Amino acid sequence: MLKRLADLFEGDPDQFITPSLTGEVDERGKHEANYLTIHEPITPAKWQEHLDGKVRIGVRPENNDKCKWGCIDIDSYAGFDHKKLLNKIHTLELPLVVCRSKSGGLHIYIFMKEEISAQTMRDALLTLLLPLDLKRTTELYPKQVELVRDE
């Protein structure tokens, strides 16, 4: 399972984030978090800690200008009809995986067998927003089409 998880969420090989919930909830009902960027590769031991619930890991999907997965991040809380969205995905037979996010929203994932350009992934995610009745301003990952390293 560990290898499968690491393979599914293959992305930026040089860094990851670790979020920690603050205990605060914003006006939308989102559970707030602080984020720390760790500038080192994710080790199998770190993935195991993630699976064991000891640490939360966030991975950027882009590896330079390529990626194998993308995510639609829904930060709508009060009044959002999760069941309606799940039914729509099922009815449209979309190859998506839906998970509740740590903040109480939803992450909608799409996984590719092979790497595609980050631009193609963003375009694909954008085309999914309309049939899913989501706003064009919905947060998408990858956020950028090329991972630019700081000097």
Side-chain angles (χ1 to χ4, degrees):
M1 180 174 195
L2 181 69
K3 173 130 175 55
R4 180 74 176 132
L5 180 67
D7 288 347
L8 272 176
F9 287 98
E10 182 180 334
D12 184 348
D14 299 322
Q15 65 182 351
F16 61 95
I17 63 166
T18 58
S20 60
L21 295 176
T22 65
E24 301 294 320
V25 178
D26 72 12
E27 65 281 351
R28 299 173 295 168
K30 179 178 180 174
H31 297 271
E32 294 185 3
N34 291 320
Y35 297 89
L36 177 64
T37 301
I38 308 297
H39 295 278
E40 57 188 51
I42 305 174
T43 63
K46 191 60 72 176
W47 275 118
Q48 189 60 56
E49 288 178 18
H50 178 75
L51 288 174
D52 293 341
K54 295 177 183 172
V55 66
R56 295 174 190 254
I57 292 177
V59 181
R60 292 174 67 156
E62 61 270 28
N63 183 356
N64 295 317
D65 65 344
K66 303 283 186 194
C67 60
K68 288 178 67 176
W69 61 275
C71 179
I72 300 171
D73 184 4
I74 300 177
D75 286 332
S76 297
Y77 305 93
F80 186 81
D81 191 341
H82 293 85
K83 186 169 179 140
K84 180 180 175 186
L85 178 65
L86 292 170
N87 287 337
K88 189 166 291 214
I89 290 169
H90 179 74
T91 299
L92 296 173
E93 298 181 359
L94 296 173
L96 304 172
V97 177
V98 181
C99 301
R100 184 169 300 277
S101 69
K102 71 179 170 346
S103 63
L106 291 178
H107 288 165
I108 303 173
Y109 294 102
I110 187 165
F111 297 96
M112 303 290 129
K113 290 181 181 179
E114 304 291 330
E115 283 186 325
I116 62 173
S117 76
Q119 182 66 62
T120 300
M121 180 63 78
R122 280 195 59 81
D123 292 346
L125 294 171
L126 280 168
T127 64
L128 290 170
L129 296 178
L130 182 63
L132 295 177
D133 293 326
L134 298 172
K135 295 178 183 175
R136 186 154 174 86
T137 56
T138 302
E139 195 168 18
L140 305 175
Y141 295 91
K143 285 184 169 263
Q144 55 200 31
V145 296
E146 183 177 1
L147 186 58
V148 179
R149 303 276 178 216
D150 290 337
E151 295 289 325

